[in-house]
Amino acid sequence: MAAGPGDPVRRPAAGARFFCTVGRGLEPFLLREVRARLEASEVEYILGKVFFTTCSDLNMLKKLKSAERLFLLIKKQFPFNVPSVSKGKLFSEVQRLINDDPESWLNVISIWKNLLELNAKKENLSQRDANPQKIKLGKNDTITGKKLKTEQMQEMEENRECQLEKQIEETLEQGDSLTKREKFQEEEFQNDAAKAVDTHKENNLTFRVSCRCSGAIAKIFTAQEIGRIVGIALMKQFGWKADLRNPNLEIFIHLSDIYSVVGIPVFRVPLASRAYIRTTGLRSTIAWAMASVAEIKAGTFVLDPMCGFGTILLEAATEWPDVYYVGADVSTSQLLGASDNLKAAGLKDKIELLKVSVIELPLPSESVDVIISDIPFGKKFKLGKDIRSILQELERVLRVGGTVVLLLSEAHHRCLKDGEGRSIPLNSKGGHTDELGVAKCLIPEEKTGIAKTVSPSLEASNQECLDKMPPFGSLVPMECYKVSLGKTDAFIYKYKKSHSSGL
């Protein structure tokens, strides 16, 4: 149970129930991440959403990298049976989302407030610890301070001024690492926390409803109509007031042919919006997912030979800092964008940039531990021979046992799938891997209800892609994930180098 208004701030002993929206195809990455990073339990998913229970605070929840947005879960149920009921009956069914169990709504509201209030207290403590000069000295400290010699005080002041000047110089050299986006995100979060503190009574809340409708119900009601129905029910049930511009609380509802989900956004700014990326290239969630399967370890040499704006390397270096990173690209404008991103993220000394061609890398054979790259989608180079030339050069510089993770377009995938040279035989099941495969990663801890209806299709699709991809020389495909880039789909392929290529 959540803490009551008069109780000390605490999290529920059993944890709170959350869900994240996630890009199509990235569900297995988020499943692994919430278990590893948050020690989450009751982890399950439906297409585009992952549900879990955790006791983690907001600082830990903020660290999720493969998610788009984070919500506190109010309700998750099967879809409305649209064809068998009238519009009036469906109207009543939507209202029952609120009226059938108002206590669950109030419990989740209390958890939401507690999370924000607890984080606000931690922020205040952190700021106070970071500014010890503002803390009043005790009696003994005052006596000790008075006994300091004048020369010592002057020396301390001079050292402090020198240190401050050095910090100012470094800031001017690297640019302002606190970007406008960081300031905006911090201000938005502080506003949310302040609102939570100011609204101790539930009937003081202001709210708005965000609604998405798809499938059969979208043919009966628009999203605006559903939002209006839910809004009226909330006002009648709890006495809340609607405020479309600056509410204390946002209610998110998604109704489809697969599920009905209701939740509260925990942060206004999406988790996928990285404060440390100034110039966006590849979507950050995709970049992090690629890095997460690359088996990056401390002390390894990681190369992105077509780094673009450096998004993959930024995501990797933020998560695994004690690594030697090199980004290469043939485009000056891309490298300038990457350099700006490195400065903004404060990682300029962590990642080296080179202007070289991917098919003529100035590196010794078998010198690189990990290669991660987004292969351009055919706009600047021809398919066929060029994609093979790229893979041959990557195969040359990669050490035996090393890992390659590539983002391939559907055209690249077809080209490599139809290629020649199966240097390693398939196993008895027609696959290429003996490791923990996609299937095991996709099985939720509790395959109940809706999750059962969708997991086999995604699992089977990824496994089919893997089974159909032959090795490329000594590069053996180990994992495959079909992911959405919005208007198009792509494939994340993980390869391992099985033996010396002799190139």
Side-chain angles (χ1 to χ4, degrees), residues 17 34 132 170 202 235 326 347 392 445 458 465:
R17 191 73 173 152
V34 297
E170 289 176 350
E202 274 75 7
M235 287 188 286
V326 173
L347 294 172
Q392 284 173 355
E445 291 178 6
L458 181 58
C465 291

Side-chain angles (χ1 to χ4, degrees), residues 198-259:
D198 291 340
T199 56
H200 288 289
K201 296 181 180 179
E202 274 75 7
N203 57 7
N204 287 339
L205 282 173
T206 59
F207 75 97
R208 70 180 173 209
V209 179
S210 300
C211 185
R212 287 178 57 196
C213 294
S214 57
I217 197 167
K219 299 177 182 178
I220 307 297
F221 290 114
T222 65
Q224 291 77 13
E225 288 174 323
I226 293 293
R228 194 176 303 116
I229 294 169
V230 172
I232 292 171
L234 290 172
M235 287 188 286
K236 288 182 178 179
Q237 183 68 49
F238 303 117
W240 300 346
K241 296 180 180 179
D243 184 347
L244 301 182
R245 292 189 175 183
N246 192 30
N248 302 127
L249 181 69
E250 182 178 354
I251 303 297
F252 171 82
I253 297 178
H254 188 188
L255 306 179
S256 73
D257 291 340
I258 304 174
Y259 50 74

Side-chain angles (χ1 to χ4, degrees), residues 206-449:
T206 59
F207 75 97
R208 70 180 173 209
V209 179
S210 300
C211 185
R212 287 178 57 196
C213 294
S214 57
I217 197 167
K219 299 177 182 178
I220 307 297
F221 290 114
T222 65
Q224 291 77 13
E225 288 174 323
I226 293 293
R228 194 176 303 116
I229 294 169
V230 172
I232 292 171
L234 290 172
M235 287 188 286
K236 288 182 178 179
Q237 183 68 49
F238 303 117
W240 300 346
K241 296 180 180 179
D243 184 347
L244 301 182
R245 292 189 175 183
N246 192 30
N248 302 127
L249 181 69
E250 182 178 354
I251 303 297
F252 171 82
I253 297 178
H254 188 188
L255 306 179
S256 73
D257 291 340
I258 304 174
Y259 50 74
S260 300
V261 176
V262 184
I264 300 171
V266 178
F267 307 112
R268 291 193 180 187
V269 179
L271 293 171
S273 180
R274 307 287 201 254
Y276 49 80
I277 295 181
R278 178 172 291 174
T279 306
T280 57
L282 178 66
R283 188 154 187 79
S284 58
T285 51
I286 299 285
W288 185 89
M290 294 173 67
S292 72
V293 296
E295 303 179 21
I296 299 173
K297 298 176 183 177
T300 56
F301 178 4
V302 177
L303 169 70
D304 183 349
M306 291 167 285
C307 68
F309 291 145
T311 308
I312 294 174
L313 295 175
L314 283 168
E315 291 294 319
T318 303
E319 189 82 13
W320 300 274
D322 299 324
V323 174
Y324 177 49
Y325 292 101
V326 173
D329 206 288
V330 74
S331 168
T332 301
S333 61
Q334 296 285 296
L335 290 173
L336 287 174
S339 180
D340 286 343
N341 278 336
L342 299 188
K343 289 180 182 178
L347 294 172
K348 194 168 178 61
D349 61 337
K350 292 281 186 181
I351 303 172
E352 183 179 353
L353 298 178
L354 302 174
K355 184 178 180 181
V356 295
S357 169
V358 65
I359 58 176
E360 296 178 349
L361 295 172
L363 297 170
S365 296
E366 300 186 358
S367 61
V368 180
D369 300 297
V370 175
I371 298 173
I372 319 173
S373 197
D374 170 17
I375 305 293
F377 279 22
K379 294 182 179 180
K380 295 184 178 180
F381 67 93
K382 297 176 293 183
L383 296 176
K385 184 177 179 180
D386 285 342
I387 185 66
R388 285 185 167 80
S389 299
I390 289 172
L391 286 183
Q392 284 173 355
E393 182 68 349
L394 301 187
E395 182 185 16
R396 180 187 70 81
V397 301
L398 186 69
R399 68 169 178 81
V400 175
T403 303
V404 178
V405 179
L406 302 176
L407 186 66
L408 303 175
S409 68
E410 292 181 307
H412 294 147
H413 177 257
R414 286 193 300 270
C415 178
L416 293 176
K417 185 178 66 175
D418 298 334
E420 301 175 355
R422 291 177 180 262
S423 59
I424 293 179
L426 304 181
N427 60 31
S428 60
K429 295 182 180 179
H432 306 286
T433 177
D434 295 323
E435 296 185 352
L436 177 64
V438 180
K440 292 184 180 179
C441 298
L442 285 172
I443 298 173
E445 291 178 6
E446 291 188 7
K447 294 197 301 179
T448 57

